Amino acid sequence: MSEFTNQIINAHGGLKRWMTLQQGQATIVTGGTLWGMKGLKQDSAPRLMTISLHEQKASVMPFGAPDQRTAFTPERIAIETLGGEVVAERLNPRDSFAKHQMDTPWDPLHRAYFNGYALWTYLTTPFLLILPGVMSQELAPWREGDEQWRRLRVRFPGSIATHSEVQDFYFDRDFLLRRHDYSVDVAGGFAAAQYVHDYIEADGIRLPTKRRAFRLGPDNQALTDNMLVSIDLSDIHFS
């Protein structure tokens, strides 16, 4: 682990604390224009997100009906009843996004898969930097307004389901995440910049509770006139 990565992880709670934990839960409220572009109905109802911290497993409930939830792994996405009965499922779900563009409609399983890997990524950042096969290198600093942020370029192995192979993470002088850039490969590969705000400490782990994603312009500036995705987190617990 590089000294920079070590400083980042320490700022977010430290590896020793992280390794004592197995599960994360949060209430999520999502919004933004992406869902309408995908032909999906969006509401502001709160939902419970549950993830495993050391393997890619996630679930959100309710999903589609009050007695339903999702079950995500990189190899399978399913919608289940709370009793475990399968309502719908898709194996090798990433393949179902082939030839998709930004406005290609999604079905409920597409959305469930996106939700699963995206929230797993967000709730395990920055600790996912030390997962097997993840490689990173520091880039030149970035000037954002009157602040200067350090940048870490991260390459993810194919075994990890996430937005794209290459992603950039920006950290402030306190080594806290401030911005996260990636390509949304499941929607044609458009470039996005996600800003994070309102840090809290939950069970010894520090993380942002607000995320706002925008398209990324060719000059590496976010196009903030159109918020694609908003995510608000509350009632966060790690155990």
Side-chain angles (χ1 to χ4, degrees):
M1 187 190 316
S2 71
E3 179 61 22
F4 185 29
T5 300
N6 186 56
Q7 291 168 319
I8 292 166
I9 287 177
N10 285 340
H12 289 81
L15 186 58
K16 183 177 180 180
R17 176 57 178 159
W18 182 255
M19 295 306 293
T20 68
L21 303 169
Q22 298 296 323
Q23 178 178 277
Q25 285 192 327
T27 297
I28 63 171
V29 175
T30 58
T33 62
L34 178 66
W35 317 113
M37 296 170 63
K38 291 298 184 183
L40 298 169
K41 183 179 179 181
Q42 176 60 34
D43 60 53
S44 59
R47 292 172 170 82
L48 178 64
M49 189 81 205
T50 302
I51 68 162
S52 296
L53 302 185
H54 306 294
E55 60 179 329
Q56 275 207 288
K57 295 177 64 177
S59 177
V60 66
M61 61 175 287
F63 189 88
D67 63 342
Q68 292 181 178
R69 65 188 177 202
T70 68
F72 159 80
T73 67
E75 301 82 16
R76 175 181 178 268
I77 187 64
I79 301 169
E80 305 173 339
T81 67
L82 299 185
E85 180 181 348
V86 175
V87 176
E89 71 173 344
R90 180 173 290 148
L91 303 181
N92 302 313
R94 196 75 170 208
D95 295 345
S96 69
F97 294 92
K99 299 182 180 180
H100 275 215
Q101 299 302 314
M102 192 173 184
D103 57 354
T104 303
W106 280 353
D107 63 26
L109 287 171
H110 286 127
R111 180 170 188 171
Y113 175 81
F114 177 81
N115 178 88
Y117 85 67
L119 268 296
W120 184 89
T121 297
Y122 304 153
L123 288 170
T124 60
T125 298
F127 301 95
L128 49 63
L129 295 175
I130 63 166
L131 290 175
V134 175
M135 298 182 294
S136 61
Q137 66 179 89
E138 188 170 0
L139 303 179
W142 170 256
R143 175 65 63 176
E144 185 85 24
D146 59 356
E147 296 185 48
Q148 182 168 281
W149 296 342
R150 293 173 70 177
R151 291 189 291 174
L152 197 66
R153 173 154 294 174
V154 178
R155 291 185 179 274
F156 291 94
S159 57
I160 296 178
T162 185
H163 288 301
S164 55
E165 176 187 2
V166 178
Q167 303 180 31
D168 292 342
F169 296 81
Y170 299 65
F171 300 91
D172 64 19
R173 66 172 65 183
D174 296 319
F175 304 104
L176 295 178
L177 181 69
R178 298 293 299 277
R179 173 175 155 179
H180 176 197
D181 294 356
Y182 46 84
S183 297
V184 187
D185 287 353
V186 296
F190 71 88
Q194 183 178 117
Y195 289 87
V196 305
H197 311 275
D198 294 12
Y199 261 78
I200 65 162
E201 182 173 322
D203 300 302
I205 302 300
R206 298 189 73 188
L207 73 164
T209 59
K210 295 186 184 299
R211 290 175 172 270
R212 302 291 186 264
F214 308 90
R215 290 201 72 167
L216 188 60
D219 57 354
N220 206 46
Q221 299 285 347
L223 305 177
T224 57
D225 58 328
N226 180 13
M227 185 170 62
L228 293 175
V229 176
S230 67
I231 303 171
D232 290 348
L233 304 171
S234 61
D235 301 321
I236 304 168
H237 299 284
F238 294 95
S239 60

